[in-house]
Amino acid sequence: MSFPVIGVIAPELAISQLIEPATRLGVEIKGSSKSMNADELKEFAKNCTLICIEPELISIGAIKVAEQTGVQIYPSSKLLSAISTIELHKPSSEQLAITAARSAHAQSAIWPIALVNKELVISPAPGMGEEQAITIAVSALNLLNELGVTGGIELIVDAENYQNLIGINWLQPISAFVAEINSTTNYFEQYLRAVLDLPMGETNTNQKSAVTGRLKTDPTSDDYRPYLHLMARNPRLKFDQRMKLVGVAGENLEELLTEIIHAQQYYSGEIDS
């Protein structure tokens, strides 16, 4: 049996994030960032085992037409049609990111629920008790089973009322970098495992907590110079310039927050030491 070829229609960043775990799994990625109609989608799907899409680039109608010719697409038109009936709520100041994956044989995996605001992602969400976390996780996994999700998904919900859905992310999850730096299996590898119906990887965390933050470039400097100070100050910091993020994992949440906020302030030029 030859290794699969997965077609990915998504922004370039999402494609690049899938390529690394795909390479480790021996899977080939055929990528495109172009919006496609039904005929273009069918042509792109030739020689692909299956197709993964960012729904904003392909209409449900085009997906349906391609599916009728036997093309396997995730998320499917049926799933996207079902999700389109779910009421979305306006975002509050803080949200929860519930990130999970489910295979075609209904094996599921979920990461610790993260707290999200405009500047930071904190995982697990501080102040959330174990009972509440389990209740939210079970509710999310039940929803995935009810909808028949195959692949990865990030549900963004209101931090004060997790039943209020704010948005859904597929190949551009807000909290993916947290899993990248602090989980046994990151989001994009898990996404591939799910659509290929491979056994799910563990989502255990390596450290008690992880914090990631968005970076803003100092207008008087560049994106490279701040590395010297920040990496010397804390060699455990992780960076992803593709998304302009910094992150760190550890046991003391207060210390992690101090490090990330300092990194953000230094990187932007707000402080100089």
Side-chain angles (χ1 to χ4, degrees), residues 138-154:
V138 169
S139 177
L141 292 174
N142 286 341
L143 177 62
L144 266 60
N145 285 327
E146 180 183 334
L147 293 171
V149 171
T150 298
I153 189 170
E154 181 183 59

Side-chain angles (χ1 to χ4, degrees), residues 85-110:
T85 66
I86 300 175
E87 180 185 2
L88 296 181
H89 296 261
K90 292 183 179 180
S92 60
S93 58
E94 291 188 325
Q95 295 110 47
L96 298 176
I98 307 167
T99 312
R102 180 181 180 274
S103 71
H105 278 86
Q107 184 185 8
S108 299
I110 190 166

Side-chain angles (χ1 to χ4, degrees), residues 170-185:
W170 303 96
L171 291 172
Q172 301 178 91
I174 296 170
S175 61
F177 194 44
V178 165
E180 179 73 28
I181 67 173
N182 197 37
S183 293
T184 305
T185 310

Side-chain angles (χ1 to χ4, degrees), residues 113 127-139 162:
I113 297 164
M128 180 178 291
E130 182 179 1
E131 184 176 344
Q132 184 184 13
I134 291 173
T135 298
I136 295 174
V138 169
S139 177
Y162 73 89

Side-chain angles (χ1 to χ4, degrees), residues 25 27 29 48-49 91 107 115 123 130 167 179 215 225 259 268:
L25 292 171
V27 174
I29 296 291
C48 291
T49 309
Q107 184 185 8
L115 182 69
S123 176
E130 182 179 1
L215 295 170
R225 186 191 63 82
E259 288 298 322
S268 68

Side-chain angles (χ1 to χ4, degrees), residues 181 209-212 234 236-238 246-250 256 259-260:
I181 67 173
S209 299
V211 180
T212 66
N234 188 342
R236 294 187 295 118
L237 288 177
K238 299 294 184 182
V246 61
V248 68
L256 301 182
E259 288 298 322
I260 294 302

